Amino acid sequence: MTAAVSDPSDPSGPRPEIDAVTGALHGVWEAGVAVFRGIPFAEPPVGTLRFAAPRPARRWDGVRAAVSYGPPPPQGGALGMAALSRGATGDDWLTVNVWSPDPGRGAGLPVMVWIQGGAYTVGMSALPEYDGGRLAREGGVVVVTFNYRVGLEGFGQIEGAPANRGLLDQVAALEWVRDNIRAFGGDPDRVTVFGQSAGAGSVAALLAMPRAAGLFGRAVAQSVQGTFFSPDLAADIAASCAAELGLRPTVADLSAVAPPRLSAAGDAVGAKMTQWAERWGPVAHRTIPFSPVVDGDALPVTPWQALADGAGRDIGLLVGHTRDEQRLLTALDGLLGQVTQEQAATALDVFGPGQDGARRYRDGFPAAGSEELHELVQSDWVFRMPSLHLAQAQTASGGRAHVYELTWTAPGMGGALGACHGLDVPLVFGNLDRGQPAMLIGEAPSPEAEALSARMRAAWTAFAAHGDPGWAPYDTERRLVQLFDTQPAVSAYPEEASRLIWQDHTFPVLPLIGR
């Protein structure tokens, strides 16, 4: 059922009501969009369900109020996320939120399902930058966001628990969309997943997961985080986290540990990861303690291998990255303008491809100074080349991929951050004046920022609706990509020097180096 509303923008009018598979819901109208928040898609993963695969939510009686976000999953303190989640109560961590411009059962609108990033360690759908109202209203799409387990809860390799619980949560959320979205005006046969950073890494993983087959027809991967762990590496890191508590990395030992204590143990290991660099390799230098695990079951192979083998051949792919991915992370580390020759040399040795990666970078960028080399190799290793190689694997198998690069310089901090990691998120959602993106865009978004955001939103929603964002698919001869800037243009992929350095690299499962 959907309440008849003559003027949905009138807050005093009837509230939107729908009947989902799990029960009736009422939401709120916000600027002409029906919004439903905090809908459980799985049972709370606590008690006997702690560290278990998600179990579908049970049906409720009566009409449930869906007007507030559910509590965020337990998480570490990076970027202040622990503080943001501290006031939340309850253990209904696994909830979805829906924005619909036409919550009529027969509307048949395209559906866009967002997966937030956060290095698989932090992240919550309640952040104001992920509000789907503008994207839904102006793009004519149903927008869905949701929470999934992160850190040790979602990605720790724990004995007695299934691997990749965070990814299994994502599959469960997509199954909820399949079963319920028609009641919100969406078409379950026109679902697009889109995500950024670890969210884009998750999108890539979903493309490789047999359990996700058929749950979406298009995928948007923004700055794919290219880290995928072997079971041995993930288990070794989890053992170190458990050791912080004097415990073993088993369900029996960890299930009674309060979630905040478990998150704190993950933070403690993350703060001293470089101590294990000889065992854990490059992820120790980047403080990445958690990532999807290529376990041979839920995630049989890496996304690049899966796409090369044709797993995504029938799925439309839109993928890209920002020009200056590492710049924001360098600033957060307090190194902007401070990178030494020694730090650059270490980065080149650790992250450059092959035994002569450092030489390739110095030859490929002969005029680059220490900070630029430090930034380039890390941008390429963790985000830029994983994104490009995903498109190349899709194309090589006969699939279709559209590639973009965001080259617009963020006005925040006097332009010092360039086209940095995360800049695409406020532009895609159109939320330019709220939440964390305010430091990138500025307190008062310029007409230039608004125009660029409108172009990106139009491309993303057109892709969701029709599979065509407005420029030609990528191919290995012309390598055409859309450049998003003040003046948009289509050109050959601009990061040619990096592409050549990495052209023979295959992104492997990251191993445990020593024992």
Side-chain angles (χ1 to χ4, degrees):
M1 61 180 177
T2 303
V5 178
S6 57
D7 181 7
S9 64
D10 178 5
S12 64
R15 63 195 183 189
E17 293 189 5
I18 64 95
D19 192 9
V21 170
T22 46
L25 299 158
H26 82 76
V28 294
W29 291 105
E30 295 179 359
V33 174
V35 185
F36 302 82
R37 295 183 172 94
I39 308 167
F41 68 85
E43 289 294 293
V46 297
T48 58
L49 298 182
R50 184 92 179 268
F51 308 120
R55 181 175 298 176
R58 289 171 290 184
R59 184 173 175 85
W60 55 81
D61 296 325
V63 180
R64 181 186 180 108
V67 297
S68 301
Y69 290 109
Q75 52 198 271
L79 302 177
M81 290 295 186
L84 288 173
S85 63
R86 195 168 293 132
T89 58
D91 51 20
D92 243 336
W93 306 334
L94 303 181
T95 58
V96 299
N97 319 291
V98 182
W99 288 260
S100 177
D102 185 0
R105 184 171 287 275
L109 299 175
V111 181
M112 298 183 69
V113 182
W114 172 251
I115 306 177
Q116 69 266 359
Y120 305 105
T121 303
V122 297
M124 61 188 77
S125 62
L127 294 181
E129 51 263 44
Y130 303 147
D131 185 289
R134 190 175 188 185
L135 192 60
R137 182 175 59 254
E138 298 181 11
V141 298
V142 176
V143 176
V144 179
T145 67
F146 64 92
N147 288 334
Y148 61 94
R149 284 172 284 182
V150 293
L152 274 164
E153 299 282 351
F155 292 94
Q157 189 78 353
I158 297 172
E159 184 180 334
N164 297 309
R165 296 173 297 282
L167 295 180
L168 296 178
D169 292 345
Q170 296 170 16
V171 171
L174 287 168
E175 290 173 338
W176 182 93
V177 168
R178 177 197 61 198
D179 297 338
N180 291 274
I181 206 63
R182 198 179 300 279
F184 297 83
D187 183 349
D189 294 323
R190 286 203 292 168
V191 173
T192 298
V193 290
F194 70 127
Q196 183 264 350
S197 194
S202 296
V203 169
L206 290 168
L207 287 165
M209 293 177 66
R211 299 183 198 192
L215 295 176
F216 58 94
R218 299 186 179 109
V220 183
Q222 305 169 208
S223 303
V224 176
Q225 182 172 330
T227 53
F228 286 78
F229 288 1
S230 70
D232 284 347
L233 174 61
D236 205 57
I237 295 174
S240 294
C241 294
E244 291 287 324
L245 303 169
L247 300 171
R248 299 168 301 159
T250 66
V251 169
D253 274 23
L254 298 181
S255 59
V257 176
R261 285 192 66 215
L262 203 60
S263 297
D267 283 349
V269 170
K272 53 188 178 184
M273 280 191 76
T274 53
Q275 296 180 13
W276 287 280
E278 292 186 0
R279 290 173 63 83
W280 299 346
V283 297
H285 291 268
R286 283 298 301 254
T287 313
I288 302 175
F290 306 107
S291 285
V293 180
V294 179
D295 64 337
D297 179 20
L299 185 57
V301 296
T302 67
W304 304 277
Q305 184 63 57
L307 290 194
D309 292 341
R313 188 178 295 122
D314 297 327
I315 295 176
L317 177 63
L318 171 59
V319 60
H321 56 74
T322 71
R323 182 188 59 210
D324 308 306
E325 292 280 3
Q326 175 64 24
R327 190 80 52 84
L328 174 65
L329 307 175
T330 299
L332 292 174
D333 287 339
L335 291 176
L336 204 60
Q338 306 295 322
V339 176
T340 65
Q341 288 185 354
E342 182 180 2
Q343 287 169 321
T346 297
L348 291 172
D349 288 338
V350 170
F351 300 109
Q355 295 183 343
D356 61 345
R359 179 193 60 77
R360 292 187 199 178
Y361 267 91
R362 295 190 187 281
D363 291 347
F365 299 93
S370 295
E371 184 151 321
E372 185 177 359
L373 289 169
H374 177 269
E375 191 170 282
L376 281 166
V377 71
Q378 295 195 74
S379 292
D380 286 341
W381 178 78
V382 74
F383 297 122
R384 298 202 312 181
M385 293 303 106
S387 301
L388 179 65
H389 281 224
L390 200 70
Q392 292 178 166
Q394 174 77 336
T395 301
S397 69
R400 182 184 178 104
H402 297 266
V403 179
Y404 74 90
E405 180 173 355
L406 177 60
T407 57
W408 181 67
T409 295
M413 293 182 61
L417 296 179
C420 65
H421 188 65
L423 179 60
D424 51 323
V425 175
L427 294 170
V428 166
F429 276 90
N431 299 324
L432 305 181
D433 59 352
R434 66 185 79 175
Q436 297 180 9
M439 69 175 286
L440 306 178
I441 306 293
E443 294 297 330
S446 65
E448 175 184 276
E450 288 285 3
L452 177 57
S453 175
R455 285 193 292 272
M456 293 187 74
R457 293 198 311 276
W460 265 236
T461 55
F463 180 75
H466 310 296
D468 184 356
W471 65 92
Y474 185 86
D475 63 59
T476 55
E477 294 182 0
R478 297 180 299 167
R479 300 191 181 90
L480 294 181
V481 305
Q482 173 72 58
L483 304 182
F484 283 106
D485 210 322
T486 305
Q487 296 297 324
V490 175
S491 75
Y493 182 66
E495 314 306 337
E496 180 66 3
S498 290
R499 187 191 71 80
L500 291 173
I501 291 170
W502 290 82
Q503 65 180 342
D504 297 323
H505 182 77
T506 56
F507 282 90
V509 176
L510 296 173
L512 178 65
I513 297 172
R515 293 183 181 273

